[in-house]
Amino acid sequence: MATSVRLIRRYVWLIDTIRRAGNITLEEINQKWMEERSLRLESEGYIPERTFHRHSLAIADIFGIDIQCNRYNGNTYYIENEDALSEPTFTSWLFNGLAIDNQLLGNRDIVKRILFEEIPGGMDHMSPAIEALSKSRVIRISYRRFNFSEATERFVEPYGLKQSGRRWYLVGKIQGYDTLTVFGLDRIESLSISDITFEPDRSINLNEFFDEVIGVNVDDDYESVKVVIRVFDRQRPYVESLPLHRSQHLVAYTTDYSDYELILRPEYEFQREILRLGPDVEVLSPGWLRDEIKWLAEETARRYAREG
């Protein structure tokens, strides 16, 4: 294993060990380190205090994780900003992935018992897209939309990446246009970084851009409105534990159902999500959306009513 890769894995192990313990002394960390069979070389002993502090500085620099010492609690170490590991950021995604990989490294027998959803494709474009983001470089892509037989070439100013469902998406401005466009990485046939630089619009906030939708389809044909849905008993725990949208909140509760209010654009992806939940979810308002869902459900029923 290359030294740099081994070091990164050790940093991840150290963060994970402290996080899981909550508060832990260096002696206790070293006891766990001596039991480590995948990352520790047989010739290695305890982690010296000086090395531990060097690791802590590197961890702060690479992951933005602050390891602090509580002198009033037996010189125990803890993670000061532990929330950073649970927030939906690229760093937390990367860390948690590496922490799991460290566990698998020491026990390959369980690899086949941990199942991941398959990403359709395009992950090879992730690295150059991030490089272009960091350098504010225009990228040249060959992009083929669904239901189109040929790809078209675009020059795009990259603004970010977003995961939704089982896909990753590139968010950027096509040169010559002011609005953001979303490209599925799996629909990009080729991607190259040009020598052209651009000045990013600092007023653009991607979280705000996607704030009114549940996926990546920001459709200007729909305005943000108040939507009220009724969720019946069987689906209620699922909708409570995994809200359809961050604005979701409870407005009424009975023994048979709960009513929730959401503020969003009820576009294509939201409508399909409602249909996915089947008869256990009912749209109460607005009336036009209720009629739209009713029509889609009736169309589905008509399809099934046909003879095969």
Side-chain angles (χ1 to χ4, degrees), residues 127-140:
S127 179
I130 293 174
E131 180 183 347
L133 274 169
S134 66
K135 295 179 178 178
S136 297
R137 293 280 187 88
V138 173
I139 56 177
R140 177 180 179 179

Side-chain angles (χ1 to χ4, degrees), residues 260-296:
Y260 299 94
E261 182 181 287
L262 307 91
I263 308 293
L264 46 61
R265 301 189 194 196
E267 40 63 55
Y268 176 89
E269 289 185 82
F270 176 73
Q271 293 180 25
R272 267 53 189 181
E273 184 65 15
I274 293 294
L275 290 171
R276 184 187 68 81
L277 294 170
D280 292 320
V281 175
E282 175 187 359
V283 173
L284 301 183
S285 66
W288 68 263
L289 179 61
R290 180 180 174 88
D291 292 341
E292 180 73 11
I293 297 297
K294 178 183 176 183
W295 180 82
L296 290 169

Side-chain angles (χ1 to χ4, degrees), residues 11 13 19 37 40 45-46 53 56 73 95 100-101 112 120-121 152 155 158 174 194 220-221 275 294-295:
Y11 297 157
W13 177 90
R19 178 178 69 167
R37 293 291 178 264
R40 186 179 66 84
Y46 286 173
H53 288 304
S56 297
N73 187 27
F95 166 78
I100 293 170
D101 197 52
K112 59 186 177 184
T152 57
F155 286 86
I174 300 174
S194 75
D220 289 332
D221 289 338
L275 290 171
K294 178 183 176 183
W295 180 82

Side-chain angles (χ1 to χ4, degrees), residues 119-121 146 162-169 184-187:
I119 301 296
F146 284 119
K162 176 176 171 60
Q163 187 179 31
S164 181
R166 291 166 51 203
R167 286 188 164 87
W168 276 95
Y169 295 86
L185 288 191
D186 59 314
R187 309 308 300 166

Side-chain angles (χ1 to χ4, degrees), residues 84-215:
L85 296 175
S86 57
E87 292 173 352
T89 63
F90 185 79
T91 298
S92 65
W93 176 72
L94 176 63
F95 166 78
N96 286 298
L98 287 172
I100 293 170
D101 197 52
N102 272 353
Q103 297 292 331
L104 299 182
L105 188 67
N107 194 346
R108 290 299 177 182
D109 291 339
I110 68 170
V111 170
K112 59 186 177 184
R113 288 189 274 158
I114 299 178
L115 308 179
F116 298 90
E117 285 194 328
E118 181 181 353
I119 301 296
M123 294 304 291
D124 52 324
H125 301 315
M126 179 80 78
S127 179
I130 293 174
E131 180 183 347
L133 274 169
S134 66
K135 295 179 178 178
S136 297
R137 293 280 187 88
V138 173
I139 56 177
R140 177 180 179 179
I141 66 173
S142 179
Y143 190 74
R144 184 165 61 86
R145 298 170 58 189
F146 284 119
N147 301 321
F148 281 71
S149 58
E150 295 183 0
T152 57
E153 188 176 271
R154 325 254 179 116
F155 286 86
V156 179
E157 299 173 358
Y159 272 76
L161 291 158
K162 176 176 171 60
Q163 187 179 31
S164 181
R166 291 166 51 203
R167 286 188 164 87
W168 276 95
Y169 295 86
L170 168 71
V171 186
K173 286 184 179 181
I174 300 174
Q175 282 205 310
Y177 293 85
D178 292 330
T179 57
L180 291 175
T181 303
V182 180
F183 305 92
L185 288 191
D186 59 314
R187 309 308 300 166
I188 296 176
E189 297 187 350
S190 64
L191 184 154
S192 59
I193 303 173
S194 75
D195 294 328
I196 305 169
T197 59
F198 70 97
E199 185 63 35
D201 183 350
R202 302 300 178 184
S203 67
I204 291 178
N205 183 311
L206 290 189
N207 284 321
E208 292 179 0
F209 180 71
F210 291 107
D211 191 46
E212 297 178 341
V213 298
I214 66 167

Side-chain angles (χ1 to χ4, degrees), residues 230-242 244 248 256-258 260 273-282:
R230 176 162 292 171
V231 182
F232 294 91
D233 195 57
R234 186 170 57 179
Q235 281 290 350
R236 188 157 38 180
Y238 297 98
V239 174
E240 281 282 357
S241 63
L242 190 63
L244 300 179
Q248 175 182 305
D256 297 323
Y257 61 81
S258 294
Y260 299 94
E273 184 65 15
I274 293 294
L275 290 171
R276 184 187 68 81
L277 294 170
D280 292 320
V281 175
E282 175 187 359

